[in-house]
Amino acid sequence: MLRPRRNRRTPAIRSMVRETMLSPANFILPLFLHEDVEDTPIASMPGVTRWSLESLVREAGEAHALGIPAVVLFPKIEEALKSPDGKECHNDDGLVPRAIRALKAAHPSLCVITDVALDPYNSDGHDGIVKRSENGDLTVLNDETVEILCEQALCHARAGADIVAPSDMMDGRVTAIRDALDAEGFTDVSILSYTAKYASAFYGPFRGALDSAPKEGDKKTYQMDPANVREAVRETLLDEAEGADMLMVKPAGIYLDVIARVRETTTLPVAAYQVSGEYLMLKSASAAGWLDERAIVLESLTAIKRAGASMILTYFAKQAAVWLRPS
Ligand code: PBG
C-alpha cells in the first residue's frame, strides 16, 4: 500500500523531506523613522516603533546581527515640509538621506532599501502629484510624478542606498529611474519594483503610522484592483522589460496566488510584503491569546515563501529570526 505518512513519521524524516526552508536571510525589516529624538510606539501597530535616527541605527544593527540582510525605510515627514509636488523627497539633507548615510556608516554590510513614492511628502497624501480639474475631480499625474520619483531615487543613491523600491505604481517609472541612475553613474544601485501592488484595505495601520493617508479620494487609479491576477502578469512582463532587478507583490498572505503567478512568469527574484494589516491581524489575535504567535507567524511566512517569494518584507523579521535560531 502507498503510505505518504511514512515521510512524516519522525522529526528527522520530516526535516529531510521539507520543501520550504525559512531563514532570516529571506527577511527584510521595514523601519519607521521620524525627526524627533524620542522613539514613539505606533498606536495602530502594537509592537512597532517609529525611531529617532540614533535608535534606527541601533535597531537596524540588532536586526543585522540576527542574520537579517536588509532594512527598508519609511519616514514620517513633518507637516510643514509637505507640499503638492513633494519636493522634500529629494532634499539631500532630508531625513531619509541622513538615515541612509548613518546606517551605511555604522553597518557597512547592511543592505539599505528605500521606498520611492511621494505619499509621505505630498500634502495631498497621494503617491503622485494631484491635479484637480474644474469639476473637482482629482487626477494623479503620471509623467510629472515619474520625473520627481527619478529625483528621489537619485537622492537616495547619492546618500548610499543599495536598492531603491518604487512603490508608487506609476507607469514607466522603472525605465525612467534606471535611465536616471545610469546617467549619474549609479549603475550598481538596484531597483526592487513594487510590481503588483494592490489597492488594499490592509495598508490602513501603516498610513496611521506615518499620517500618510490620502486627504481625498483613494489610490484605485494607480494601485491594482484586488480582483485581478492577469493584470499582475502584465505588470510583471513590463517591469522585467523595463529593467527591474527584483519584483514585489503586496500584500502577501492573502495574495499567494499572485505570488505564484509572478514566480512562474519571471526569472527575477520575487519579494512579497506582509503588510501592516496582516501584521495587525496576527499580532492582535496572538495578544488576545487566540492564536499561538510563534506558530502562526512562522506558518504565515513559510506559506509566503512556498508560494514563490524568496524575499519577505515583514514587521515580524526580528522576532522570526530569533525563533529560527538553531537551539
Ligand atoms: C506607500 C506605501 C504604503 C505601504 C508601503 N509603501 C502605503 C500605501 O500605498 O498607501 C504599505 C505598507 C504596509 O501597510 O505595511 N507608497
Side-chain angles (χ1 to χ4, degrees):
M1 184 175 160
L2 294 175
R3 291 184 186 275
R5 285 184 58 189
R6 276 195 291 270
N7 285 351
R8 303 177 203 137
R9 199 169 55 82
T10 67
I13 294 174
R14 287 196 298 275
S15 76
M16 283 189 290
V17 303
R18 187 159 297 133
E19 297 174 36
T20 305
M21 225 69 100
L22 202 58
S23 149
N26 300 123
F27 300 150
I28 297 170
L29 175 65
L31 289 172
F32 296 106
L33 64 153
H34 59 194
E35 204 60 78
D36 303 8
V37 288
E38 303 285 330
D39 302 325
T40 310
I42 296 173
S44 58
M45 298 175 70
V48 179
T49 303
R50 216 166 44 230
W51 304 104
S52 68
L53 218 46
E54 196 182 326
S55 304
L56 177 87
V57 171
R58 195 198 54 235
E59 180 70 6
E62 281 179 24
H64 200 34
L66 288 167
I68 297 165
V71 296
V72 57
L73 304 180
F74 294 104
K76 178 176 161 119
I77 300 300
E78 290 162 44
E79 223 36 63
L81 293 173
K82 297 187 182 183
S83 61
D85 63 359
K87 68 175 185 318
E88 175 64 14
C89 78
H90 54 87
N91 173 2
D92 285 318
D93 295 318
L95 183 57
V96 167
R98 275 182 286 131
I100 300 167
R101 289 193 289 267
L103 286 168
K104 292 304 286 186
H107 316 296
S109 63
L110 177 74
C111 174
V112 176
I113 307 175
T114 57
D115 196 73
V116 173
L118 297 190
D119 53 319
Y121 305 93
N122 177 284
S123 40
D124 297 297
H126 277 280
D127 290 19
I129 297 172
V130 173
K131 188 179 143 212
R132 185 184 295 277
S133 58
E134 273 161 29
N135 65 7
D137 284 353
L138 296 188
T139 314
V140 173
L141 300 175
N142 195 89
D143 301 5
E144 293 80 350
T145 298
V146 169
E147 279 178 37
I148 300 185
L149 297 175
C150 289
E151 293 297 328
Q152 186 180 18
L154 281 172
C155 166
H156 296 171
R158 279 193 295 273
D162 295 285
I163 301 178
V164 293
S167 70
D168 54 288
M169 291 300 280
M170 297 300 119
D171 293 330
R173 93 277 211 213
V174 172
T175 307
I177 291 173
R178 183 72 272 157
D179 288 349
L181 290 171
D182 289 352
E184 300 281 323
F186 296 111
T187 51
D188 285 341
V189 173
S190 309
I191 299 176
L192 164 58
S193 176
Y194 284 67
T195 294
K197 177 173 179 178
Y198 286 87
S200 171
F202 283 83
Y203 308 150
F206 173 99
R207 293 178 189 169
L210 296 183
D211 245 340
S212 62
K215 300 265 162 28
E216 213 180 304
D218 54 40
K219 299 192 174 185
K220 290 179 183 165
T221 67
Y222 45 107
Q223 298 181 347
M224 284 176 50
D225 183 340
N228 295 354
V229 66
R230 284 192 299 270
E231 196 178 342
V233 172
R234 183 174 191 215
E235 290 282 4
T236 299
L237 296 172
L238 283 171
D239 277 356
E240 194 172 77
E242 289 189 32
D245 298 283
M246 304 154 167
L247 308 182
M248 195 195 302
V249 174
K250 175 184 177 183
I254 51 166
Y255 289 79
L256 296 180
D257 57 324
V258 180
I259 297 174
R261 282 294 285 280
V262 171
R263 176 65 291 160
E264 278 168 22
T265 306
T266 183
T267 56
L268 294 174
V270 175
Y273 197 146
Q274 184 181 54
V275 298
S276 54
E278 298 178 73
Y279 171 83
L280 191 66
M281 287 200 305
L282 301 178
K283 199 71 181 179
S284 52
S286 313
W290 294 330
L291 289 172
D292 172 346
E293 185 174 18
R294 178 190 162 122
I296 208 77
V297 168
L298 291 178
E299 183 176 331
S300 72
L301 295 171
T302 301
I304 292 166
K305 187 161 181 200
R306 188 196 62 228
S310 45
M311 307 150 80
I312 306 173
L313 291 83
T314 172
Y315 302 100
F316 287 113
K318 275 181 79 188
Q319 273 180 282
V322 171
W323 290 326
L324 290 171
R325 258 199 306 223
S327 44

PDB file of all heavy atoms in Angstrom, residues 74 115 117 119 127 167 194 197 202-203 206-207 219 223 250 273 275-276 315, ligand 1:
ATOM      1  N   PHE A  74      10.898  53.916   6.037  1.00  0.00           N
ATOM      2  CA  PHE A  74       9.654  54.672   5.845  1.00  0.00           C
ATOM      3  C   PHE A  74       9.638  55.880   6.779  1.00  0.00           C
ATOM      4  O   PHE A  74       9.517  55.725   7.995  1.00  0.00           O
ATOM      5  CB  PHE A  74       8.443  53.779   6.100  1.00  0.00           C
ATOM      6  CG  PHE A  74       8.316  52.678   5.086  1.00  0.00           C
ATOM      7  CD1 PHE A  74       8.672  51.375   5.403  1.00  0.00           C
ATOM      8  CD2 PHE A  74       7.877  52.942   3.801  1.00  0.00           C
ATOM      9  CE1 PHE A  74       8.575  50.358   4.466  1.00  0.00           C
ATOM     10  CE2 PHE A  74       7.770  51.936   2.852  1.00  0.00           C
ATOM     11  CZ  PHE A  74       8.118  50.643   3.181  1.00  0.00           C
ATOM     12  N   ASP A 115      12.060  53.384   0.016  1.00  0.00           N
ATOM     13  CA  ASP A 115      10.774  53.435  -0.673  1.00  0.00           C
ATOM     14  C   ASP A 115      10.758  54.687  -1.548  1.00  0.00           C
ATOM     15  O   ASP A 115      11.064  55.781  -1.082  1.00  0.00           O
ATOM     16  CB  ASP A 115       9.663  53.524   0.390  1.00  0.00           C
ATOM     17  CG  ASP A 115       8.294  53.207  -0.182  1.00  0.00           C
ATOM     18  OD1 ASP A 115       8.022  52.034  -0.464  1.00  0.00           O
ATOM     19  OD2 ASP A 115       7.484  54.152  -0.342  1.00  0.00           O
ATOM     20  N   ALA A 117       8.313  56.942  -3.503  1.00  0.00           N
ATOM     21  CA  ALA A 117       6.909  57.343  -3.736  1.00  0.00           C
ATOM     22  C   ALA A 117       6.724  58.662  -3.019  1.00  0.00           C
ATOM     23  O   ALA A 117       7.500  59.005  -2.115  1.00  0.00           O
ATOM     24  CB  ALA A 117       5.927  56.314  -3.192  1.00  0.00           C
ATOM     25  N   ASP A 119       3.992  59.759  -1.244  1.00  0.00           N
ATOM     26  CA  ASP A 119       2.967  59.905  -0.190  1.00  0.00           C
ATOM     27  C   ASP A 119       3.432  60.477   1.150  1.00  0.00           C
ATOM     28  O   ASP A 119       2.699  61.242   1.758  1.00  0.00           O
ATOM     29  CB  ASP A 119       2.137  58.628  -0.015  1.00  0.00           C
ATOM     30  CG  ASP A 119       2.989  57.398   0.195  1.00  0.00           C
ATOM     31  OD1 ASP A 119       4.024  57.269  -0.474  1.00  0.00           O
ATOM     32  OD2 ASP A 119       2.624  56.554   1.024  1.00  0.00           O
ATOM     33  N   ASP A 127       0.523  59.068  -3.771  1.00  0.00           N
ATOM     34  CA  ASP A 127       1.867  58.639  -4.156  1.00  0.00           C
ATOM     35  C   ASP A 127       2.426  59.486  -5.290  1.00  0.00           C
ATOM     36  O   ASP A 127       3.608  59.385  -5.633  1.00  0.00           O
ATOM     37  CB  ASP A 127       1.855  57.163  -4.590  1.00  0.00           C
ATOM     38  CG  ASP A 127       1.613  56.241  -3.402  1.00  0.00           C
ATOM     39  OD1 ASP A 127       1.120  56.730  -2.368  1.00  0.00           O
ATOM     40  OD2 ASP A 127       1.910  55.038  -3.499  1.00  0.00           O
ATOM     41  N   SER A 167       7.262  52.344  -5.037  1.00  0.00           N
ATOM     42  CA  SER A 167       6.014  51.739  -4.551  1.00  0.00           C
ATOM     43  C   SER A 167       4.803  52.509  -5.040  1.00  0.00           C
ATOM     44  O   SER A 167       3.703  52.330  -4.553  1.00  0.00           O
ATOM     45  CB  SER A 167       6.011  51.712  -3.019  1.00  0.00           C
ATOM     46  OG  SER A 167       5.887  53.018  -2.503  1.00  0.00           O
ATOM     47  N   TYR A 194       7.819  47.558  -6.902  1.00  0.00           N
ATOM     48  CA  TYR A 194       6.508  47.083  -6.435  1.00  0.00           C
ATOM     49  C   TYR A 194       5.707  46.833  -7.720  1.00  0.00           C
ATOM     50  O   TYR A 194       5.120  47.737  -8.285  1.00  0.00           O
ATOM     51  CB  TYR A 194       5.805  48.139  -5.602  1.00  0.00           C
ATOM     52  CG  TYR A 194       6.305  48.347  -4.181  1.00  0.00           C
ATOM     53  CD1 TYR A 194       7.558  48.876  -3.917  1.00  0.00           C
ATOM     54  CD2 TYR A 194       5.476  48.057  -3.092  1.00  0.00           C
ATOM     55  CE1 TYR A 194       7.984  49.105  -2.610  1.00  0.00           C
ATOM     56  CE2 TYR A 194       5.890  48.284  -1.777  1.00  0.00           C
ATOM     57  CZ  TYR A 194       7.141  48.806  -1.552  1.00  0.00           C
ATOM     58  OH  TYR A 194       7.542  49.043  -0.266  1.00  0.00           O
ATOM     59  N   LYS A 197       1.143  45.882  -6.790  1.00  0.00           N
ATOM     60  CA  LYS A 197       0.739  46.473  -5.515  1.00  0.00           C
ATOM     61  C   LYS A 197      -0.744  46.786  -5.613  1.00  0.00           C
ATOM     62  O   LYS A 197      -1.180  47.567  -6.447  1.00  0.00           O
ATOM     63  CB  LYS A 197       1.533  47.747  -5.246  1.00  0.00           C
ATOM     64  CG  LYS A 197       1.100  48.433  -3.962  1.00  0.00           C
ATOM     65  CD  LYS A 197       1.992  49.600  -3.623  1.00  0.00           C
ATOM     66  CE  LYS A 197       1.511  50.279  -2.351  1.00  0.00           C
ATOM     67  NZ  LYS A 197       2.380  51.384  -1.972  1.00  0.00           N
ATOM     68  N   PHE A 202      -5.653  46.567   3.635  1.00  0.00           N
ATOM     69  CA  PHE A 202      -4.676  46.079   4.616  1.00  0.00           C
ATOM     70  C   PHE A 202      -3.528  47.065   4.883  1.00  0.00           C
ATOM     71  O   PHE A 202      -2.656  46.773   5.680  1.00  0.00           O
ATOM     72  CB  PHE A 202      -4.103  44.727   4.157  1.00  0.00           C
ATOM     73  CG  PHE A 202      -5.044  43.577   4.392  1.00  0.00           C
ATOM     74  CD1 PHE A 202      -6.054  43.299   3.491  1.00  0.00           C
ATOM     75  CD2 PHE A 202      -4.940  42.789   5.523  1.00  0.00           C
ATOM     76  CE1 PHE A 202      -6.931  42.249   3.700  1.00  0.00           C
ATOM     77  CE2 PHE A 202      -5.810  41.739   5.749  1.00  0.00           C
ATOM     78  CZ  PHE A 202      -6.815  41.465   4.832  1.00  0.00           C
ATOM     79  N   TYR A 203      -3.514  48.216   4.188  1.00  0.00           N
ATOM     80  CA  TYR A 203      -2.462  49.216   4.461  1.00  0.00           C
ATOM     81  C   TYR A 203      -2.888  50.207   5.544  1.00  0.00           C
ATOM     82  O   TYR A 203      -2.119  51.102   5.898  1.00  0.00           O
ATOM     83  CB  TYR A 203      -2.093  50.028   3.209  1.00  0.00           C
ATOM     84  CG  TYR A 203      -1.754  49.228   1.973  1.00  0.00           C
ATOM     85  CD1 TYR A 203      -1.999  49.746   0.705  1.00  0.00           C
ATOM     86  CD2 TYR A 203      -1.170  47.971   2.070  1.00  0.00           C
ATOM     87  CE1 TYR A 203      -1.691  49.028  -0.444  1.00  0.00           C
ATOM     88  CE2 TYR A 203      -0.867  47.243   0.922  1.00  0.00           C
ATOM     89  CZ  TYR A 203      -1.130  47.773  -0.325  1.00  0.00           C
ATOM     90  OH  TYR A 203      -0.838  47.070  -1.460  1.00  0.00           O
ATOM     91  N   PHE A 206      -0.543  51.168   8.509  1.00  0.00           N
ATOM     92  CA  PHE A 206       0.688  51.834   8.034  1.00  0.00           C
ATOM     93  C   PHE A 206       0.432  53.324   7.825  1.00  0.00           C
ATOM     94  O   PHE A 206       1.234  54.170   8.214  1.00  0.00           O
ATOM     95  CB  PHE A 206       1.115  51.178   6.723  1.00  0.00           C
ATOM     96  CG  PHE A 206       2.273  51.824   5.999  1.00  0.00           C
ATOM     97  CD1 PHE A 206       3.551  51.313   6.110  1.00  0.00           C
ATOM     98  CD2 PHE A 206       2.072  52.928   5.163  1.00  0.00           C
ATOM     99  CE1 PHE A 206       4.617  51.885   5.415  1.00  0.00           C
ATOM    100  CE2 PHE A 206       3.125  53.506   4.471  1.00  0.00           C
ATOM    101  CZ  PHE A 206       4.405  52.978   4.597  1.00  0.00           C
ATOM    102  N   ARG A 207      -0.706  53.637   7.215  1.00  0.00           N
ATOM    103  CA  ARG A 207      -0.988  55.053   6.959  1.00  0.00           C
ATOM    104  C   ARG A 207      -1.177  55.788   8.276  1.00  0.00           C
ATOM    105  O   ARG A 207      -0.829  56.963   8.389  1.00  0.00           O
ATOM    106  CB  ARG A 207      -2.210  55.180   6.051  1.00  0.00           C
ATOM    107  CG  ARG A 207      -1.907  54.624   4.656  1.00  0.00           C
ATOM    108  CD  ARG A 207      -3.108  54.682   3.735  1.00  0.00           C
ATOM    109  NE  ARG A 207      -2.847  53.953   2.494  1.00  0.00           N
ATOM    110  CZ  ARG A 207      -3.765  53.663   1.597  1.00  0.00           C
ATOM    111  NH1 ARG A 207      -5.028  54.035   1.792  1.00  0.00           N
ATOM    112  NH2 ARG A 207      -3.455  53.000   0.506  1.00  0.00           N
ATOM    113  N   LYS A 219      -6.632  55.273  -3.817  1.00  0.00           N
ATOM    114  CA  LYS A 219      -5.473  55.039  -4.689  1.00  0.00           C
ATOM    115  C   LYS A 219      -5.810  54.091  -5.845  1.00  0.00           C
ATOM    116  O   LYS A 219      -4.906  53.528  -6.464  1.00  0.00           O
ATOM    117  CB  LYS A 219      -4.306  54.507  -3.840  1.00  0.00           C
ATOM    118  CG  LYS A 219      -3.851  55.489  -2.738  1.00  0.00           C
ATOM    119  CD  LYS A 219      -2.529  55.086  -2.095  1.00  0.00           C
ATOM    120  CE  LYS A 219      -2.032  56.141  -1.109  1.00  0.00           C
ATOM    121  NZ  LYS A 219      -0.680  55.816  -0.564  1.00  0.00           N
ATOM    122  N   GLN A 223      -3.004  51.980  -7.866  1.00  0.00           N
ATOM    123  CA  GLN A 223      -2.787  50.649  -7.307  1.00  0.00           C
ATOM    124  C   GLN A 223      -3.801  49.670  -7.932  1.00  0.00           C
ATOM    125  O   GLN A 223      -4.870  50.070  -8.390  1.00  0.00           O
ATOM    126  CB  GLN A 223      -2.928  50.696  -5.787  1.00  0.00           C
ATOM    127  CG  GLN A 223      -1.884  51.623  -5.165  1.00  0.00           C
ATOM    128  CD  GLN A 223      -1.952  51.693  -3.650  1.00  0.00           C
ATOM    129  OE1 GLN A 223      -2.921  51.239  -3.040  1.00  0.00           O
ATOM    130  NE2 GLN A 223      -0.935  52.277  -3.047  1.00  0.00           N
ATOM    131  N   LYS A 250       2.342  42.725  -3.245  1.00  0.00           N
ATOM    132  CA  LYS A 250       1.935  43.322  -1.967  1.00  0.00           C
ATOM    133  C   LYS A 250       0.440  43.537  -1.961  1.00  0.00           C
ATOM    134  O   LYS A 250      -0.084  44.084  -2.942  1.00  0.00           O
ATOM    135  CB  LYS A 250       2.661  44.655  -1.845  1.00  0.00           C
ATOM    136  CG  LYS A 250       2.289  45.486  -0.659  1.00  0.00           C
ATOM    137  CD  LYS A 250       3.010  46.798  -0.739  1.00  0.00           C
ATOM    138  CE  LYS A 250       2.583  47.659   0.424  1.00  0.00           C
ATOM    139  NZ  LYS A 250       3.173  48.960   0.374  1.00  0.00           N
ATOM    140  N   TYR A 273       5.404  41.479   0.410  1.00  0.00           N
ATOM    141  CA  TYR A 273       5.326  42.367   1.576  1.00  0.00           C
ATOM    142  C   TYR A 273       4.146  41.952   2.450  1.00  0.00           C
ATOM    143  O   TYR A 273       2.993  42.111   2.060  1.00  0.00           O
ATOM    144  CB  TYR A 273       5.146  43.812   1.088  1.00  0.00           C
ATOM    145  CG  TYR A 273       5.425  44.922   2.083  1.00  0.00           C
ATOM    146  CD1 TYR A 273       5.965  46.132   1.656  1.00  0.00           C
ATOM    147  CD2 TYR A 273       5.148  44.792   3.438  1.00  0.00           C
ATOM    148  CE1 TYR A 273       6.235  47.173   2.544  1.00  0.00           C
ATOM    149  CE2 TYR A 273       5.415  45.823   4.333  1.00  0.00           C
ATOM    150  CZ  TYR A 273       5.950  47.004   3.885  1.00  0.00           C
ATOM    151  OH  TYR A 273       6.199  48.034   4.766  1.00  0.00           O
ATOM    152  N   VAL A 275       2.015  43.043   4.905  1.00  0.00           N
ATOM    153  CA  VAL A 275       1.786  44.455   5.224  1.00  0.00           C
ATOM    154  C   VAL A 275       1.214  44.654   6.625  1.00  0.00           C
ATOM    155  O   VAL A 275       0.906  43.695   7.344  1.00  0.00           O
ATOM    156  CB  VAL A 275       0.886  45.134   4.166  1.00  0.00           C
ATOM    157  CG1 VAL A 275       1.563  45.105   2.796  1.00  0.00           C
ATOM    158  CG2 VAL A 275      -0.498  44.504   4.132  1.00  0.00           C
ATOM    159  N   SER A 276       1.036  45.930   6.963  1.00  0.00           N
ATOM    160  CA  SER A 276       0.641  46.304   8.320  1.00  0.00           C
ATOM    161  C   SER A 276      -0.651  45.632   8.774  1.00  0.00           C
ATOM    162  O   SER A 276      -0.750  45.200   9.921  1.00  0.00           O
ATOM    163  CB  SER A 276       0.514  47.818   8.408  1.00  0.00           C
ATOM    164  OG  SER A 276      -0.370  48.310   7.409  1.00  0.00           O
ATOM    165  N   TYR A 315       7.151  42.890   9.392  1.00  0.00           N
ATOM    166  CA  TYR A 315       7.392  43.542  10.685  1.00  0.00           C
ATOM    167  C   TYR A 315       7.771  42.517  11.746  1.00  0.00           C
ATOM    168  O   TYR A 315       8.173  42.874  12.836  1.00  0.00           O
ATOM    169  CB  TYR A 315       6.138  44.331  11.096  1.00  0.00           C
ATOM    170  CG  TYR A 315       5.765  45.374  10.060  1.00  0.00           C
ATOM    171  CD1 TYR A 315       4.756  45.144   9.129  1.00  0.00           C
ATOM    172  CD2 TYR A 315       6.471  46.580   9.978  1.00  0.00           C
ATOM    173  CE1 TYR A 315       4.436  46.077   8.158  1.00  0.00           C
ATOM    174  CE2 TYR A 315       6.166  47.515   9.001  1.00  0.00           C
ATOM    175  CZ  TYR A 315       5.149  47.258   8.094  1.00  0.00           C
ATOM    176  OH  TYR A 315       4.854  48.182   7.128  1.00  0.00           O
TER     177      TYR A 315
HETATM  178  C1  PBG B   1       3.359  53.978   0.138  1.00  0.00           C
HETATM  179  C2  PBG B   1       3.450  52.671   0.826  1.00  0.00           C
HETATM  180  C3  PBG B   1       2.397  52.066   1.522  1.00  0.00           C
HETATM  181  C4  PBG B   1       2.907  50.894   2.109  1.00  0.00           C
HETATM  182  C5  PBG B   1       4.247  50.799   1.746  1.00  0.00           C
HETATM  183  N1  PBG B   1       4.570  51.910   0.936  1.00  0.00           N
HETATM  184  C6  PBG B   1       1.015  52.537   1.766  1.00  0.00           C
HETATM  185  C7  PBG B   1       0.141  52.865   0.647  1.00  0.00           C
HETATM  186  O1  PBG B   1       0.379  52.541  -0.513  1.00  0.00           O
HETATM  187  O2  PBG B   1      -0.866  53.516   0.924  1.00  0.00           O
HETATM  188  C8  PBG B   1       2.101  49.968   2.976  1.00  0.00           C
HETATM  189  C9  PBG B   1       2.843  49.064   3.881  1.00  0.00           C
HETATM  190  C10 PBG B   1       2.033  48.413   4.943  1.00  0.00           C
HETATM  191  O3  PBG B   1       0.792  48.516   5.007  1.00  0.00           O
HETATM  192  O4  PBG B   1       2.667  47.751   5.788  1.00  0.00           O
HETATM  193  N2  PBG B   1       3.950  54.188  -1.042  1.00  0.00           N
END
